[in-house]
Amino acid sequence: MSEAVQAQIDTIEAEMARTQKNKATNFHLGQLKAKLAKLRSELLNGPGGKSAGSKDAGRGFDVTKSGDTRIGLVGFPSVGKSTLLTTLTGTRSEAAAYEFTTLTCIPGTMNYKGARIQVLDLPGIIEGAADGKGRGRQVISTARTCNLILIVLDAGKPLTHKKIIEQELFSFGIRINQTPPNIKLTKKDNGGIDYQEMVPQTKGMNADVCRVVLKEFKVSCAQIIMRDDVTVDEFIDVIEGNRSYVPVLYVFNKIDSLTIEELDILDQMPNYVPISSRDEWGLEDLMEEIWDRCNMMRIYTKPKGQIPDYDEPVILHSQGNPTVEEFCNRIHKGLMASFSHAWVWGKSAKHQPQRCGKEHRLEDEDVVQLCKKAG
């Protein structure tokens, strides 16, 4: 069965490769991309798409999530992931000169700026991991649960390794360093396809392409509102609805073997951090990048009549500045029922302290004292 599906995928990919990309072929390419996405989903999860057969096919390692955030180390065998885990967390992970030293997921915890960050040392993946080679599906399934993925690369190996790992993650539904497209898709029982564009579409999407893609996924009635200029692939991601959007950092290990000229070339690449886990070079820069990419903020609590607790900050994740309400819910979901107001000290306060409601936006290292309703 899988051989037949793979043969169909190869045929469609060959046809896409020989098809010129222009306005006249947008419709045909959209149809091919929809068929390709459906076949890949069938190959990963069994007949029937994303729900059928997915219980065991994409099951990750059984590791309990702990700490304030979780990051995963993904890479080819023998690039230094185990040494990096030991250096960051102190957790012993066997490292040796041969490949596939790590055969299961090994968790460790590092403390940085008061936050407890869980680090997962995942087994090395190989080309074809998304199809199940070398426990690849288990590795990538676990990577989907992380707040941040560190793709660990050997600085002395070809950069083609980076492309291979990106393709394996993409094939398994992980979209790296992307944000979900702003598309509203509402399936209906009748009324046909209602297609609306809020912004001009310059990347190949139009009403005809939308209809042929939806037809391939057996959707005959729906309302689609395009609030972003998107590609056909991004539109298919929205229809599938099972994509993970995860930030990624490229960690180039073993830089002690490179020249200054080679480091200058690497420095032109975005989202990268050069380190040497053996010599402990660049680890402070790496931890600072992890902190920034996970959008972490420290908020200190202050009991009434006591000094603030600077040892155990409450760690919040937020793209913008979190509100007092988000802070309360992070401590306990039931706090808002008895919340009256909060006293805030720090950069977000106009004066020290400032009496604030639940909508007040906090900044890093603010001090908050919560007050309950009387009675």
Side-chain angles (χ1 to χ4, degrees), residues 28 153 209 258:
H28 180 58
L153 299 161
V209 173
L258 296 186

Side-chain angles (χ1 to χ4, degrees), residues 67-85:
D68 298 302
T69 193
R70 171 187 266 196
I71 62 176
L73 307 179
V74 175
F76 278 94
S78 294
V79 293
K81 298 188 298 296
S82 298
T83 308
L84 181 59
L85 175 79

Side-chain angles (χ1 to χ4, degrees), residues 314-317 323-339 358 370 372-373:
V314 177
I315 305 296
L316 297 176
H317 297 263
T323 61
V324 171
E325 184 174 6
E326 290 175 57
F327 168 73
C328 293
N329 289 332
R330 180 72 176 88
I331 297 172
H332 194 281
K333 296 289 184 185
L335 271 180
M336 287 308 299
S338 58
F339 176 81
K358 64 179 182 178
L370 301 176
K372 293 184 176 181
K373 294 174 182 174

Side-chain angles (χ1 to χ4, degrees), residues 110-262:
M110 73 173 185
N111 292 291
Y112 186 66
K113 294 184 177 180
R116 291 178 298 110
I117 301 171
Q118 186 182 42
V119 184
L120 303 181
D121 177 17
L122 297 165
I125 65 172
I126 56 176
E127 193 167 359
D131 301 329
K133 292 181 182 177
R135 305 190 79 179
R137 288 194 192 179
Q138 282 183 287
V139 172
I140 301 175
S141 292
T142 306
R144 284 177 72 116
T145 67
C146 296
N147 301 98
L148 174 71
I149 295 174
L150 300 184
I151 295 181
V152 185
L153 299 161
D154 188 335
K157 297 283 180 69
L159 268 178
T160 49
H161 287 187
K162 172 176 172 286
K163 285 286 183 189
I164 293 169
I165 293 173
E166 286 174 346
Q167 185 55 48
E168 295 303 327
L169 295 177
F170 183 88
S171 299
F172 211 77
I174 296 177
R175 300 294 175 260
I176 62 177
N177 294 329
Q178 294 182 26
T179 53
N182 193 356
I183 300 173
K184 184 181 179 184
L185 173 65
T186 309
K187 295 179 183 178
K188 301 186 294 185
D189 295 328
N190 50 45
I193 303 297
D194 177 15
Y195 177 83
Q196 301 174 34
E197 291 181 2
M198 307 301 287
V199 294
Q201 298 297 312
T202 62
K203 299 178 182 176
M205 276 302 298
N206 56 49
D208 292 333
V209 173
C210 173
R211 286 187 173 88
V212 74
V213 170
L214 289 173
K215 184 180 177 183
E216 197 62 44
F217 285 92
K218 295 182 172 58
V219 178
S220 56
C221 301
Q223 182 188 49
I224 297 94
I225 302 175
M226 312 289 283
R227 296 195 176 101
D228 273 346
D229 184 12
V230 300
T231 62
V232 178
D233 291 321
E234 289 173 322
F235 180 60
I236 291 170
D237 288 345
V238 172
I239 299 172
E240 292 262 47
N242 60 353
R243 305 300 191 238
S244 293
Y245 295 86
V246 185
V248 162
L249 268 179
Y250 300 100
V251 180
F252 279 85
N253 195 13
K254 306 181 183 179
I255 59 165
D256 47 291
S257 62
L258 296 186
T259 63
I260 296 297
E261 290 76 14
E262 288 170 325

Side-chain angles (χ1 to χ4, degrees), residues 333-350:
K333 296 289 184 185
L335 271 180
M336 287 308 299
S338 58
F339 176 81
S340 169
H341 62 275
W343 292 103
V344 178
W345 293 258
K347 289 183 284 186
S348 70
K350 294 178 182 176

